[in-house]
Amino acid sequence: MIRAHHDSVLSLEAHGHAGGDLHVSLRGRLGVNQLPEFQTAIARVLKELAPRSVLLDLSRLDYLDTSGAMAVKIWAAAPPQDLAVRLEAGQSRFRDMLALIDVDQVRKPAINPDKRDAGMLEGMGRSARRMGEQIGQLLAFVGQATKSVLMVVARPATLRMGDVLAYMQQVGVDGLPIVSLIGLLLGMIMAFMSSLQLKSFGADVYVATLVAVAMVRELGPIMTAILVAGRSGSSFAAEIGTMKVNEEVDALTVMGYDPVIFLALPKVIAAVLMVPLLTLFSIAAAIMGGLIVGVAGLDLTPYTYLNESISSFDAGDLMTSMFKAAVFGLLIAVIGCQKGFTVEGGAAGVGKATTSAVVAALFLIIVTDSVFAIIQYYFL
């Protein structure tokens, strides 16, 4: 047994034999002022005994601050020798402090050129596994949400209509200015750029057709969905994620409320109803933007431009666009709520979930739009 005392503040007892397993017990105080003593004492013990594994026992410490806990965790994650190190806090009050400190990334293996391919394959495998886990979590949430919808159909009073109206205002009314502005500018840009080509053929009037068809069939729903995903999808994830971190979601469960019905369903209903309406305003704003360019730069009359725009699409095109927008709204709300419910940790977890919600929503919007395009081309 080796004992090391340093000013009667920190003491170290080591039990073991050379080349074997070593049990190191710390007593007294381990704070920022005792870190040099700890490092000196533990280095001397390792040099004398050269063990193959170390058990560092902190259960007998009288005091441990965050600096000491961080130093111990870093030393255990990256010991000076190639050792198997294990920390033991027992039932002491320091166990939770140690659990909060994550230093798994302290010891990173150097890149070996001979193992670069294996590392790349391993990274691809981990990414595929994470993607599979996320898809599984999303499907599980969809199943839970479907069950909640059926419960609301059976008992409509469980749905908080006040929350639905509030989120309809947040998604629709509050989002109308930016959606209309982007639609107006997009219509002006498309009209101006297309006029540069069509003007040389004397086909200025077809600028109205191009803007209307592009907005109704494709750009209107997808641009609106992208804006709503950035505004409301991220807001949904951050709101539920913050409640999850503050244990408010657990409190709702304890009180007998279904968190999906209470928190997620009003958001989903609001998004499904409001995104198609926002799409209509976006299409109208884009046509108005094209009208400004057509009247001011192409010498078209407002009647000619509007008549050409309206005749370029029919009710079927408009209904298809509204249906796509409703599906996009459903995707945005479901993904935002699901990411919020999976938040772990503190503020960093909320930020990560918010970013993930927006990225996942945009990805699925593009994929879904591609599926709609294929279905329209081959089957409609």
Side-chain angles (χ1 to χ4, degrees):
M1 181 177 68
I2 298 176
R3 287 190 176 92
H5 296 273
H6 298 276
D7 300 330
S8 300
V9 175
L10 175 67
S11 63
L12 181 150
E13 295 183 2
H15 302 268
H17 55 84
D21 300 327
L22 181 64
H23 182 279
V24 178
S25 178
L26 298 181
R27 295 174 181 266
R29 298 172 59 89
L30 179 56
V32 63
N33 296 326
Q34 288 77 44
L35 294 183
E37 288 82 358
F38 165 74
Q39 294 171 352
T40 301
I42 197 71
R44 184 169 68 86
V45 171
L46 294 181
K47 182 178 180 180
E48 292 181 5
L49 298 180
R52 63 183 181 186
S53 67
V54 176
L55 172 62
L56 190 59
D57 187 0
L58 309 178
S59 61
R60 298 183 181 182
L61 282 173
D62 299 324
Y63 173 83
L64 178 68
D65 65 8
T66 54
S67 298
M70 178 68 76
V72 168
K73 292 275 291 202
I74 292 176
W75 181 84
Q81 303 175 18
D82 189 13
L83 298 173
V85 179
R86 184 164 63 91
L87 294 179
E88 176 62 48
Q91 299 298 321
S92 69
R93 62 186 183 278
F94 307 127
R95 185 176 58 178
D96 294 337
M97 181 190 300
L98 292 169
L100 291 175
I101 300 174
D102 183 10
V103 291
D104 291 338
Q105 301 300 319
V106 171
R107 181 168 56 186
K108 295 183 178 180
I111 299 176
N112 189 336
D114 297 333
K115 297 183 178 180
R116 184 176 292 124
D117 293 339
M120 182 175 63
L121 292 176
E122 182 180 356
M124 293 173 60
R126 289 178 179 175
S127 299
R129 185 184 65 181
R130 284 195 299 268
M131 182 177 294
E133 292 174 352
Q134 292 177 0
I135 292 174
Q137 292 173 355
L138 180 59
L139 292 177
F141 180 78
V142 169
Q144 188 177 2
T146 304
K147 178 182 176 182
S148 299
V149 170
L150 296 178
M151 292 173 60
V152 169
V153 171
R155 299 177 57 190
T158 58
L159 180 64
R160 296 164 56 90
M161 289 304 301
D163 287 351
V164 175
L165 295 176
Y167 287 117
M168 287 175 67
Q169 178 175 351
Q170 176 184 332
V171 176
V173 179
D174 295 346
L176 181 59
I178 185 63
V179 169
S180 299
L181 178 61
I182 295 299
L184 180 71
L185 296 176
L186 189 61
M188 295 179 67
I189 292 170
M190 285 193 297
F192 178 74
M193 296 304 296
S194 60
S195 67
L196 297 179
Q197 302 298 323
L198 296 175
K199 198 171 184 179
S200 60
F201 297 100
D204 297 350
V205 70
Y206 291 112
V207 170
T209 302
L210 187 148
V211 173
V213 170
M215 289 300 298
V216 170
R217 295 186 179 180
E218 197 65 38
L219 293 181
I222 198 168
M223 288 301 299
T224 303
I226 289 173
L227 291 174
V228 172
R231 282 193 73 257
S232 301
S234 58
S235 174
F236 294 165
E239 180 181 335
I240 297 178
T242 303
M243 296 182 69
K244 183 74 180 297
V245 169
N246 294 335
E247 299 183 352
E248 296 177 47
V249 175
D250 296 334
L252 289 174
T253 304
V254 171
M255 290 187 293
Y257 293 100
D258 185 342
V260 176
I261 295 178
F262 196 88
L263 299 176
L265 209 54
K267 297 177 176 62
V268 173
I269 294 174
V272 171
L273 294 178
M274 288 294 103
V275 174
L277 293 179
L278 288 176
T279 301
L280 278 177
F281 281 99
S282 177
I283 293 172
I287 292 176
M288 291 302 299
L291 175 64
I292 294 173
V293 174
V295 172
L298 302 177
D299 297 328
L300 298 175
T301 65
Y303 175 80
T304 301
Y305 189 95
L306 292 176
N307 184 65
E308 188 68 25
S309 297
I310 294 172
S311 62
S312 62
F313 60 89
D314 55 24
D317 294 330
L318 198 58
M319 293 303 296
T320 301
S321 178
M322 296 302 100
F323 178 74
K324 288 169 62 174
V327 173
F328 294 158
L330 178 65
L331 291 174
I332 292 167
V334 168
I335 292 172
C337 294
Q338 186 266 331
K339 294 297 183 181
F341 279 117
T342 58
V343 167
E344 295 180 353
V350 176
K352 183 178 179 181
T354 302
T355 303
S356 179
V358 176
V359 173
L362 295 181
F363 173 76
L364 286 181
I365 286 170
I366 300 300
V367 171
T368 305
D369 187 67
S370 301
V371 173
F372 274 119
I374 294 173
I375 292 174
Q376 285 182 278
Y377 182 80
Y378 287 103
F379 301 102
L380 297 180

